[in-house]
Amino acid sequence: MFPTTDLPQPLRIGMVGYAFMGAAHSHAWRTAPRFFDLPLQPQLTAVAGRNADGVRAAADKLGWESVETDWRRLIERDDIDLIDICTPGDTHAEIAIAALEAGKHVLCEKPLANSVEEAERMSAAADDAARNGVYAMCGYSYRRTPALALAKRFVEQGRLGHIRQVRAQYLQDWLSDENAPLTWRMDKSKSGSGSLGDIGAHIIDATQWITGQKITGVSALMETFVKERPIGGDFVGLGGHGTTGQAAQKGPVTVDDAVVFSAKFDGGPIGVFEASRAALGRRNAMRIEVNGSEGSLAFDFEDMNYLSVYDRAEEPDAGFRRIMVTEPEHPYVGNWWPTGHGLGYEHGFTHQVVDLVTAIGEGRQPEPSFTDALQVQKVLATVEASANDNCRWTDVGSTATVSAGSR
């Protein structure tokens, strides 16, 4: 007889949506238990999507056991423990609240919702569920980039001294072509906003998380460079090229292409933020720099395995030095490859699964919680309110409920 092995209890996943984020999440659920020891064993039980042929093809490709064409069926199923939401932002609140009320754990893509009011309801539902051991987490995956996790560690260790300034950019160029086709990401009713919620949310969350401080006020400017885009065309990745010519139909773009804003943090630092999906040549330049009284940190996701560090006490005349974040003692890295063998975009989602499953298995709240994500939602809403009021300085939380989008 073969020796018996005590395997972890299963954590049966039901995922809603199967496009860009669905593929990234599927890879993470498959990969995490193969490289990390987890207290629960993720199982890709079912995926839901409205198109029967599309969701079946996605299930076969991505490794899901079964399919549903209505997300409500996932929540009704007794063989589902966790609902993973990878849909546009206008659906997040309804799905997440229903899942939590049914006793299912929830992982929801960012931003949490399309409005502060929706995010508040989701946060309240998550708080109620947590009292019964049911947990919810928002998917700000860049927190799980080893270099950014190391940056947070350095700040917590006091190596930067008192934080003075933060600057953050998230620059992409997939909407630089004025004939890129119109998708849900350019429809405010579905996405809530454009570059602000799609990518700006990431740098808001990451800077607040790294510094341990909240943004308390902003002055903002938003712009839509291309007011109409082709309705049809060839879709490649996030963008592509739309149908052109005299007979080609176009539809209105109702979200921002770019946003810039200044900010104040509750501990005193000032910040400058920029997000754009029309910055030619910048493919995925998510950049963060933090300056303190004793040192600085700088990071660029297009060079994601490195963190630049300046320590005034150790090397006052040397300027920044680059740390290759591939050593076993660096966050997450010890479970992967030998030193010098870098990680990629998909690893952030795998680490997200690791942290979520570990927290659920230990019976504690995973981070970022829906309450954390609500704070980001309030900043997004305040940025939009300021931009709509001639860049007026606006305190976070002082604005009426407005939308702010989803990726």
Side-chain angles (χ1 to χ4, degrees):
M1 293 182 62
F2 293 102
T4 59
T5 303
D6 292 330
L7 295 176
Q9 290 294 310
L11 181 68
R12 300 163 297 183
I13 313 301
M15 187 175 73
V16 191
Y18 54 85
F20 171 31
M21 280 296 103
H25 284 221
S26 299
H27 179 276
W29 289 118
R30 292 195 311 268
T31 305
R34 289 169 171 81
F35 286 84
F36 293 80
D37 294 326
L38 301 180
L40 300 168
Q41 179 69 22
Q43 293 183 0
L44 283 68
T45 302
V47 59
R50 291 173 296 180
N51 182 299
D53 292 337
V55 72
R56 169 50 65 189
D60 293 341
K61 182 177 182 178
L62 300 175
W64 293 88
E65 297 172 7
S66 62
V67 302
E68 299 287 353
T69 54
D70 188 334
W71 60 263
R72 296 168 184 83
R73 282 286 300 125
L74 287 184
I75 293 175
E76 293 168 358
R77 287 176 55 160
D78 293 332
D79 62 343
I80 300 292
D81 303 309
L82 183 148
I83 300 296
D84 184 359
I85 303 170
C86 298
T87 55
D90 62 323
T91 65
H92 286 185
E94 185 181 11
I95 299 172
I97 292 171
L100 290 167
E101 290 178 346
K104 314 288 189 186
H105 304 292
V106 171
L107 171 61
C108 182
E109 257 304 320
K110 46 56 59 192
L112 191 59
N114 275 8
S115 73
V116 171
E117 184 274 332
E118 287 179 338
E120 287 175 337
R121 290 194 287 113
M122 294 170 73
S123 180
D127 289 344
D128 289 342
R131 298 185 186 97
N132 297 315
V134 176
Y135 298 106
M137 188 178 86
C138 190
Y140 281 103
S141 58
Y142 286 106
R143 289 188 178 205
R144 274 76 188 193
T145 305
L148 285 180
L150 182 63
K152 179 175 176 60
R153 181 186 296 177
F154 285 170
V155 170
E156 291 177 336
Q157 291 172 345
R159 294 178 61 170
L160 271 64
H162 177 69
I163 304 301
R164 292 172 170 169
Q165 288 182 270
V166 174
R167 58 189 58 83
Q169 296 177 314
Y170 201 150
L171 308 176
Q172 297 176 340
D173 69 353
W174 59 277
L175 283 181
S176 295
D177 181 356
E178 65 181 19
N179 289 313
L182 192 70
T183 70
W184 69 266
R185 296 178 188 276
M186 286 156 270
D187 181 349
K188 188 176 180 64
S189 68
K190 293 182 173 61
S191 65
S193 70
S195 62
L196 172 61
D198 187 9
I199 53 181
H202 275 301
I203 53 177
I204 292 168
D205 177 74
T207 54
Q208 291 188 138
W209 173 67
I210 290 169
T211 63
Q213 300 187 33
K214 294 180 180 179
I215 294 172
T216 58
V218 304
S219 173
L221 180 66
M222 300 169 68
E223 184 59 60
T224 303
F225 304 122
V226 181
K227 312 297 184 184
E228 291 185 325
R229 291 185 179 275
I231 292 175
D234 297 322
F235 295 88
V236 180
L238 293 173
H241 191 76
T243 303
T244 58
Q246 290 184 343
Q249 287 186 299
K250 289 190 174 184
V253 175
T254 53
V255 300
D256 58 289
D257 286 328
V259 57
V260 294
F261 65 94
S262 56
K264 183 79 172 178
F265 290 77
D266 58 4
I270 58 174
V272 179
F273 291 76
E274 177 185 9
S276 176
R277 300 189 295 195
L280 267 172
R282 300 300 180 192
R283 300 304 194 185
N284 200 45
M286 189 263 207
R287 300 164 162 180
I288 292 175
E289 182 169 327
V290 181
N291 306 129
S293 59
E294 303 301 325
S296 294
L297 298 167
F299 170 81
D300 185 342
F301 192 80
E302 289 187 342
D303 199 11
M304 64 168 288
N305 289 292
Y306 288 88
L307 179 68
S308 294
V309 180
Y310 174 72
D311 188 321
R312 184 167 69 173
E314 291 187 3
E315 299 175 290
D317 301 320
F320 279 92
R321 64 184 177 91
R322 278 163 48 93
I323 300 175
M324 180 184 281
V325 189
T326 59
E327 298 298 324
E329 66 269 19
H330 292 149
Y332 304 106
V333 177
N335 287 73
W336 293 105
W337 318 119
T339 297
H341 294 68
L343 303 188
Y345 173 72
E346 74 279 9
H347 289 85
F349 294 94
T350 302
H351 302 156
Q352 177 172 272
V353 164
V354 170
D355 290 346
L356 174 59
V357 174
T358 300
I360 292 173
E362 295 176 353
R364 58 179 174 82
Q365 175 61 53
E367 295 180 349
S369 67
F370 277 14
T371 299
D372 297 327
L374 170 59
Q375 161 64 16
V376 177
Q377 200 77 41
K378 290 178 179 178
V379 176
L380 295 173
T382 308
V383 168
E384 188 168 355
S386 172
N388 290 336
D389 192 17
N390 294 316
C391 313
R392 182 176 180 177
W393 184 266
T394 308
D395 293 333
V396 173
S398 67
T399 60
T401 299
V402 292
S403 62
S406 176
R407 182 177 185 182

